[in-house]
Amino acid sequence: MTDETLREMEIINKVEPRFGTKELARDWYESEPLPGFAGATAMKLVRSGRADEVLDYIEAVDSGLHA
């Protein structure tokens, strides 16, 4: 497995509880533009080496901060 694939799995697993299923979490990962990232999806950010920023965003949302 590549590092990119591992990071993708980490992110999807982290958000799965909020979406209820892995399929819905993957849909979010692939298609939902993240606020503050110029319309980029989590997938696009991970593929450009910015997985840590996606994880930071998720943690900020989880802690009640809105990115």
Side-chain angles (χ1 to χ4, degrees), residues 27-58:
D27 288 346
W28 169 85
Y29 174 81
E30 294 175 354
S31 63
E32 185 68 31
L34 301 183
F37 291 98
T41 63
M43 183 172 70
K44 184 175 182 179
L45 293 166
V46 169
R47 289 183 177 174
S48 63
R50 298 173 67 187
D52 288 336
E53 292 176 62
V54 175
L55 289 166
D56 289 345
Y57 168 81
I58 293 166

